[in-house]
Amino acid sequence: ERHGEGHVLSLESDVLPEYKLQVPETTWWILLHYSPFKAFWDWIILLLVLYTAVFTPYSAAFLLDEHGSPRQRRCGFTCNPLNVADLMVDVLFIVDIVINFRTTYVDHNDVVVTQPGRIAKHYIKGWFSIDVLAATPFDLLIFRSGSDEMATLTSLLKTARLLRLVRVARKLDRYSEYGAAVLFLLMCTFVLIAHWLACIWYAIGFVERPYTETGWLDNLAEQLGKAYNESDSTSGPSVKDKYVTALYFTLSSLTSVGFGNVSPNTNSEKIFSICVMVIGSLMYASIFGNVSAIIQRLYSGTTRYHTQMLRVKEFIRFHQIPGGLRQRLEEVGKKSFSG
């Protein structure tokens, strides 16, 4: 077997198809989709997608009130480190688009396609539009416009990067046979959805705060003793206080705990809370409902081993086998059942 040579941990399947045993003829600057560099690059893109899945909703919601502030305009685009990081992510996503235009693929006949024209046509018909939308540097548009409405729209457009999660989910499907991996992915999915909902929960409170004094942000400010002052934009709870409280609320709502110390008051907050509870019930059915089955599958081998060893010991006790032979039977049983 040749797959032992130069094996690289990749997001592709571990089972070697026939085309990997043959080196296809490639033209200039054509990258094999199963090459070590492409595997390394896929992991980089995966990490960047996870970064955007966490920080893009956060910056679009919790930093929404900072985009149009005079300090930000005076300081410039590089004032916020998140802007620089997002720009670097956009550049790497654009590089990924270029790489995809020069990366081979396998057609329906299980043949590696190396012609640049066919590769480009296949990519344009597939993920090209989503990748272009996810790689558009919307951040630069914020500082070209002095309008707060434009800044808000641009921040929301940045969430288009989350479309790349669909590609990641398709690649991670092949790990569904590993119980521990599925359990870890399910918990990460639960926390990530709670994070997204926390960003939406804060955005609702931020938008409604100028029109009402009963929202959850005003209640939080009263509890912490950090009242809002309309003449001071830095007044009120800190970003840390608001995010931790929002995440606490969404996690307690999704898990149906609901202590009530952070509660919805306005109609918009109540409608959102109803949606969160519905989402939580669906997540319980789809995620936590499978946890017990996954854990049982993880320990099924151990349970089977103890059952077989118990039968061996009962056999020894029933036939009153001598000590030396008994020890040998137990050692043989341990080796065979554990293997």
Side-chain angles (χ1 to χ4, degrees):
E1 296 188 14
R2 296 173 55 187
H3 67 278
E5 303 174 1
H7 176 70
V8 177
L9 182 62
S10 68
L11 295 178
E12 302 296 333
S13 177
D14 292 333
V15 180
L16 276 183
E18 185 178 352
Y19 62 79
K20 284 191 177 184
L21 302 177
Q22 303 173 359
V23 181
E25 296 181 3
T26 58
T27 57
W28 180 80
W29 189 231
I30 291 295
L31 185 66
L32 294 176
H33 64 280
Y34 52 88
S35 62
F37 172 78
K38 188 60 171 63
F40 175 74
W41 181 256
D42 284 344
W43 279 106
I44 292 179
I45 295 299
L46 173 62
L47 294 177
L48 294 179
V49 170
L50 295 178
Y51 166 82
T52 58
V54 174
F55 284 98
T56 296
Y58 173 82
S59 62
F62 286 88
L63 306 182
L64 194 63
D65 53 341
E66 298 183 4
H67 292 320
S69 64
R71 178 180 175 274
Q72 284 282 19
R73 293 187 187 128
R74 184 172 61 251
C75 186
F77 181 79
T78 58
C79 178
N80 190 348
L82 280 178
N83 291 335
V84 180
D86 288 344
L87 182 60
M88 294 177 61
V89 170
D90 291 335
V91 171
L92 290 176
F93 280 170
I94 293 173
V95 173
D96 182 57
I97 293 176
V98 177
I99 290 178
N100 287 330
F101 269 112
R102 311 297 294 183
T103 303
T104 61
Y105 73 95
V106 181
D107 61 10
H108 60 279
N109 294 323
D110 206 25
V111 177
V112 179
V113 176
T114 59
Q115 293 82 6
R118 293 184 60 187
I119 293 174
K121 185 177 179 180
H122 177 265
Y123 181 48
I124 291 175
K125 287 183 177 181
W127 297 96
F128 175 72
S129 56
I130 292 179
D131 290 348
V132 168
L133 190 60
T136 304
F138 293 108
D139 303 66
L140 296 178
L141 300 177
I142 296 176
F143 290 90
R144 291 177 177 243
S145 172
S147 171
D148 292 342
E149 291 77 10
M150 184 62 185
T152 302
L153 177 62
T154 306
S155 298
L156 296 177
L157 287 175
K158 287 168 58 179
T159 57
R161 296 172 179 169
L162 301 180
L163 293 172
R164 281 183 168 257
L165 284 173
V166 180
R167 298 187 64 178
V168 174
R170 290 188 61 183
K171 287 181 177 292
L172 293 177
D173 267 349
R174 57 180 54 93
Y175 296 106
S176 59
E177 60 185 84
Y178 304 106
V182 172
L183 188 60
F184 176 75
L185 291 174
L186 289 177
M187 297 306 298
C188 289
T189 302
F190 177 77
V191 174
L192 186 60
I193 292 176
H195 168 73
W196 292 347
L197 294 174
C199 295
I200 299 175
W201 173 249
Y202 170 73
I204 292 174
F206 172 75
V207 171
E208 286 194 327
R209 198 185 66 79
Y211 309 103
T212 179
E213 295 181 355
T214 60
W216 75 272
L217 282 177
D218 289 295
N219 291 336
L220 177 64
E222 182 180 354
Q223 292 173 4
L224 298 179
K226 299 179 180 179
Y228 282 98
N229 185 359
E230 299 302 330
S231 60
D232 184 8
S233 60
T234 61
S235 62
S238 64
V239 175
K240 178 181 177 181
D241 295 332
K242 292 181 285 192
Y243 174 74
V244 171
T245 305
L247 185 62
Y248 165 80
F249 170 77
T250 55
L251 281 173
S252 60
S253 298
L254 287 174
T255 55
S256 301
V257 177
F259 294 104
N261 49 354
V262 180
S263 59
N265 298 309
T266 66
N267 288 335
S268 299
E269 292 175 356
K270 290 177 181 177
I271 293 173
F272 177 76
S273 300
I274 292 173
C275 296
V276 170
M277 286 184 274
V278 172
I279 294 173
S281 62
L282 294 175
M283 291 178 66
Y284 256 99
S286 60
I287 294 180
F288 292 106
N290 296 323
V291 169
S292 58
I294 292 172
I295 294 177
Q296 183 178 2
R297 188 172 63 184
L298 287 175
Y299 291 97
S300 61
T302 304
T303 304
R304 189 166 54 249
Y305 167 78
H306 287 298
T307 302
Q308 297 293 343
M309 287 302 301
L310 182 61
R311 292 177 180 175
V312 171
K313 291 180 180 179
E314 289 178 353
F315 176 82
I316 293 173
R317 190 164 48 247
F318 179 78
H319 293 281
Q320 297 181 353
I321 296 177
L325 183 57
R326 177 192 308 171
Q327 184 176 0
R328 290 179 58 187
L329 281 174
E330 290 180 353
E331 290 178 355
V332 171
K334 288 180 181 179
K335 290 181 180 179
S336 59
F337 298 145
S338 62

